[in-house]
C-alpha cells in the first residue's frame, strides 16, 4: 500500500469519527423534532465528545503528513488539464481548506482561546459538512487509484511507489514517525477526559484542577451572579400552567435528596466525574403537581451569558438522576459550581448543565 493511501485511510477514519461525533453533539444541542437523545448510559456523551476531540487531534499530524507527502503535486502545471481535472483539484482545495480550518478552530476551542469574532459552533458545524462532503468527492475521484494502491504488493516493501513523493526517508520510517506523532498528541491531551491517562497527559489542560476537584470555566464573578446567588431572598421559581411555586434553599434541602455519580462532559473535550446530591427533577415536578416527562426550560441567574439557559427534554425530566444539585462531593456546592443550585443530568453536554438556576418552566 502506498504511503498516500495509508495516510488517506487513517484520515478517512479520523475524519469520519470526528464528523459523526460532532454531528451528535450538534443534534443534542439543537434537536430537530425527529431527534431524541437518551438520558442513559449516563457517560455516553462523555465518550462521544472525548472521541470527537481525540480524533480531531489525531487528524492534525496525519493531515500534515499527507500534505507533505503529496505537496509537489499540488503545484503541478498546467493548473487545469480538463474539466474532470479541474473538478478534482477544486475538490482538493476545498478539502484542504475546510479540513485545516476545522482542525485549527477546534484546537483553539479546546484550548479555550477564541481569537475570532464569529460564533464558533455555527461556523465549525457548517464547515464540517463542507469538509466531509469534499472527503466523499475526493475518495470517489481517487477510487481507482486507491484500489490499486491498497492491493499493490512490491518486493522490498520500502520501494518508492508511484504517487508518493521521492524522499530520503524510507516509507516505513515516515509512516512510523507520523503514527508516533499522532499517538503522542493523543496521549498528551486525552487525559482531559480519560482519567487513567492523566499522569502522562502533559497537555491535558483540564483535569481535577478547579474548586472541589471539578474544573471551572465560568466563575460566579465572571457571570456577575454573586450578589443574587448569595442573597437570603434567593428563591427557585417553578412555573407550571397552574401558577408559580417558590422554593427557598431550605425548602429544597428539606425535600428528599438523591445522590448520583455523574460526569460534567464539556464540548471542549474535558470531563470530570463527581458525586452530586440534591433534588431529583421528577420529585420536584411532582411536588408542584406537574408530570415528569414534560419539557422543562431552565434559566440561570446569569444575564446575557450564552449558556445561561437550557432545555430539558422529556427523556431527562423522567430520569431520577436528573438533579438540581445542592451539594458536590459531600460539600455545599461552591459558588463557582452554581450555588445555590445547578442542573446536573446524565448523558448531557456540559453546556446544558446550567449553573445558578433561578427558574424552571414546565412546558
Ligand atoms: N449559567 C451558566 N451555566 C453553565 C455555564 C455558563 O457559562 N453559565 N457553562 C456551562 C459549561 S460550558 C460547562 S462545561 C459546565 C461546567 O462549566 P464550568 O467549568 O464553568 O463549571 O457548566 C455549564 N453551565
Ligand atoms: Mo463547556
Amino acid at each position: 500500500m502506498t504511503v498516500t493511501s495509508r495516510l488517506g485511510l487513517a484520515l478517512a477514519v479520523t475524519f469520519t469519527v470526528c464528523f459523526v461525533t460532532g454531528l451528535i453533539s450538534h443534534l443534542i444541542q439543537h434537536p430537530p423534532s425527529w431527534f431524541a437523545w437518551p438520558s442513559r448510559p449516563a457517560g455516553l456523551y462523555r465518550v462521544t465528545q472525548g472521541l470527537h476531540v481525540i480524533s480531531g487531534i489525531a487528524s492534525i499530524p496525519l493531515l500534515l503528513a499527507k500534505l507533505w507527502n503529496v505537496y509537489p503535486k499540488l503545484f503541478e502545471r498546467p493548473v487545469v488539464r480538463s474539466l474532470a481535472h479541474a473538478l478534482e483539484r477544486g475538490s482538493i482545495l476545498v478539502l484542504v481548506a475546510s479540513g485545516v480550518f476545522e482542525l485549527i478552530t477546534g484546537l483553539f476551542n479546546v484550548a479555550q482561546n477564541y481569537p475570532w469574532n464569529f460564533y464558533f459552533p455555527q461556523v465549525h458545524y457548517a464547515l464540517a459538512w463542507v469538509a466531509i462532503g469534499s472527503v466523499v468527492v475526493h475518495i470517489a475521484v481517487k477510487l481507482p487509484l486507491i484500489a490499486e494502491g491498497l492491493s499493490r504488493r512490491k518486493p522490498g516493501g520500502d520501494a518508492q511507489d508511484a504517487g508518493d513523493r521521492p524522499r530520503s526517508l524510507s516509507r516505513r520510517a515516515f509512516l512510523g514517525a507520523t503514527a508516533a506523532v499522532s499517538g503522542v498528541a493523543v496521549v498528551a491531551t486525552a487525559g482531559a477526559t480519560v482519567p487513567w491517562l492523566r499522569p502522562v497527559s502533559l497537555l491535558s489542560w483540564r483535569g481535577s484542577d478547579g474548586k472541589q476537584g471539578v474544573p471551572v470555566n465560568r466563575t460566579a464573578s465572571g457571570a456577575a451572579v454573586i450578589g443574587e446567588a448569595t442573597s437570603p431572598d434567593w428563591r427557585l421559581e417553578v412555573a407550571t400552567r397552574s401558577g408559580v411555586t417558590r422554593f427557598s434553599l431550605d425548602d429544597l434541602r428539606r425535600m428528599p435528596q438523591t445522590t448520583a455519580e455523574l460526569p460534567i462532559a464539556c464540548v471542549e473535550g474535558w470531563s470530570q466525574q463527581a458525586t452530586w446530591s440534591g433534588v431529583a427533577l421528577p420529585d420536584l415536578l411532582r411536588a408542584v403537581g406537574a408530570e415528569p416527562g414534560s419539557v422543562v426550560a431552565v434559566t440561570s441567574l446569569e444575564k446575557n451569558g450564552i449558556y445561561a439557559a437550557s432545555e430539558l427534554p422529556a427523556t431527562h425530566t423522567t430520569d431520577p438522576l436528573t438533579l438540581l444539585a445542592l451539594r458536590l462531593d459531600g460539600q455545599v456546592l461552591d459558588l463557582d459550581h452554581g450555588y445555590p443550585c445547578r442542573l446536573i443530568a446524565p448523558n448531557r453536554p456540559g453546556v446544558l448543565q446550567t449553573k445558578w438556576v433561578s427558574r424552571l418552566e414546565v412546558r
Side-chain angles (χ1 to χ4, degrees):
M1 206 197 300
T2 62
V3 171
T4 308
S5 326
R6 275 182 199 251
L7 290 173
L9 191 62
L11 272 169
V13 171
T14 55
F15 266 48
T16 304
V17 169
C18 208
F19 178 76
V20 171
T21 49
L23 188 60
I24 289 173
S25 186
H26 178 88
L27 289 171
I28 302 171
Q29 293 173 66
H30 310 277
S33 55
W34 52 266
F35 181 83
W37 181 245
S39 63
R40 302 293 175 92
L44 180 60
Y45 180 78
R46 181 185 201 182
V47 174
T48 65
Q49 193 61 15
L51 277 176
H52 182 67
V53 172
I54 288 170
S55 56
I57 285 175
S59 299
I60 295 172
L62 291 174
L63 184 61
L64 290 176
K66 172 113 169 150
L67 286 174
W68 187 80
N69 197 51
V70 299
Y71 98 92
K73 301 189 75 187
L74 298 179
F75 300 101
E76 257 170 19
R77 292 292 181 273
V79 175
V80 167
R81 271 186 256 131
S82 63
L83 182 62
H85 184 242
L87 288 175
E88 183 200 328
R89 300 206 79 181
S91 73
I92 290 176
L93 186 69
V94 173
L95 172 53
V96 172
S98 58
V100 167
F101 179 89
E102 288 298 88
L103 296 177
I104 290 178
T105 53
L107 194 64
F108 272 102
N109 188 64
V110 163
Q112 298 179 318
N113 221 312
Y114 300 80
W116 45 71
N117 46 24
F118 52 82
Y119 181 46
F120 165 79
Q122 273 164 3
V123 183
H124 192 70
Y125 175 69
L127 281 195
W129 284 100
V130 176
I132 206 75
S134 49
V135 167
V136 171
V137 171
H138 183 61
I139 291 176
V141 167
K142 296 286 184 189
L143 219 45
L145 263 183
I146 293 170
E148 195 190 320
L150 290 180
S151 63
R152 186 157 34 204
R153 284 254 173 283
K154 277 210 167 174
D158 270 9
Q160 179 63 41
D161 278 320
D164 283 351
R165 194 184 162 196
R167 70 174 65 80
S168 47
L169 211 59
S170 78
R171 291 195 326 159
R172 192 168 299 152
F174 179 68
L175 284 172
T178 306
V181 171
S182 288
V184 167
V186 164
V187 170
T189 50
T193 191
V194 185
W196 54 265
L197 275 180
R198 262 171 213 164
V200 292
S201 202
L202 301 176
L203 293 178
S204 72
W205 35 78
R206 281 292 182 280
S208 43
D209 56 332
K211 301 230 170 84
Q212 299 176 318
V214 179
V216 173
N217 286 349
R218 187 81 160 151
T219 60
S221 98
V225 296
I226 295 182
E228 284 183 278
T230 55
S231 160
D233 299 331
W234 177 87
R235 295 291 180 275
L236 173 72
E237 291 185 353
V238 185
T240 66
R241 239 173 270 140
S242 45
V244 177
T245 314
R246 289 187 174 76
F247 295 85
S248 68
L249 187 50
D250 280 335
D251 294 336
L252 294 175
R253 285 176 175 156
R254 277 192 292 267
M255 294 180 68
Q257 304 289 300
T258 302
T259 297
E261 285 275 326
L262 293 171
I264 297 259
C266 181
V267 293
E268 292 156 4
W270 60 264
S271 67
Q272 178 65 51
Q273 179 106 349
T275 308
W276 307 87
S277 28
V279 181
L281 207 86
D283 290 346
L284 190 69
L285 291 181
R286 281 188 283 264
V288 296
E291 279 297 310
S294 341
V295 172
V296 172
V298 182
T299 314
S300 170
L301 285 176
E302 184 183 0
K303 309 281 182 295
N304 311 322
I306 43 175
Y307 306 132
S310 68
E311 204 170 73
L312 281 165
T315 39
H316 278 89
T317 63
T318 344
D319 195 311
L321 293 191
T322 298
L323 306 181
L324 272 180
L326 308 176
R327 302 178 76 82
L328 167 51
D329 285 336
Q331 298 166 339
V332 173
L333 198 62
D334 191 274
L335 246 183
D336 286 340
H337 285 307
Y339 175 92
C341 77
R342 81 163 308 156
L343 186 67
I344 178 88
N347 196 24
R348 199 165 149 84
V351 287
L352 302 179
Q353 311 276 32
T354 311
K355 305 199 280 189
W356 313 290
V357 174
S358 60
R359 184 179 164 89
L360 299 177
E361 208 172 306
V362 183
R363 294 270 160 83

